[in-house]
Amino acid sequence: MARHRDGQPIPILRAYRIASLTIALYWRKEKRKPTILSLDYQVNIGDGDTAELMNTIADDKAMDISAWIDAKTWLLGCPIRLVQIANKKLAGQSLTNREHQYLWYYRQKEQKSMIAS
């Protein structure tokens, strides 16, 4: 038990306060510990197989091959003007009123075909 410098026991209420503060500081320290796992950590991916945690992270820049093939196939039948407008939007250039109108028209046409099917 903690004692005064002169060797006398600390009053019971002060001892409770010290114990309370010690416990609070302990839990604060525990909560501040990082809980992040290493990316080299092995995780169970089902059927008894394991993989590194790094390999389970979704990558926004990863290419979806089936979607890419579908997009490439779709682009073959897509109007050239629509591709030019899309490239202009990707470059951050502003569209003319006529280009906005063409894009709106094509979107409306696609929406109708999606609703019909």
Side-chain angles (χ1 to χ4, degrees), residues 80-92 95 103:
I80 295 171
R81 184 69 187 134
L82 192 61
V83 174
Q84 292 170 342
I85 291 171
N87 287 331
K88 195 171 179 180
K89 281 187 70 100
L90 280 174
L95 301 179
L103 188 58

Side-chain angles (χ1 to χ4, degrees), residues 36-43 51-58:
I36 298 171
L37 298 173
S38 168
L39 292 179
D40 296 328
Y41 183 75
Q42 295 288 325
V43 292
E52 286 184 352
L53 190 58
M54 181 185 322
N55 296 331
T56 63
I57 298 173

Side-chain angles (χ1 to χ4, degrees), residues 52-69:
E52 286 184 352
L53 190 58
M54 181 185 322
N55 296 331
T56 63
I57 298 173
D59 184 8
D60 291 338
K61 295 179 184 178
M63 186 184 340
D64 183 6
I65 299 298
S66 60
W68 180 76
I69 291 171

Side-chain angles (χ1 to χ4, degrees), residues 20 24 30 35 50 55 95:
S20 172
E30 284 296 311
T35 56
T50 60
N55 296 331
L95 301 179

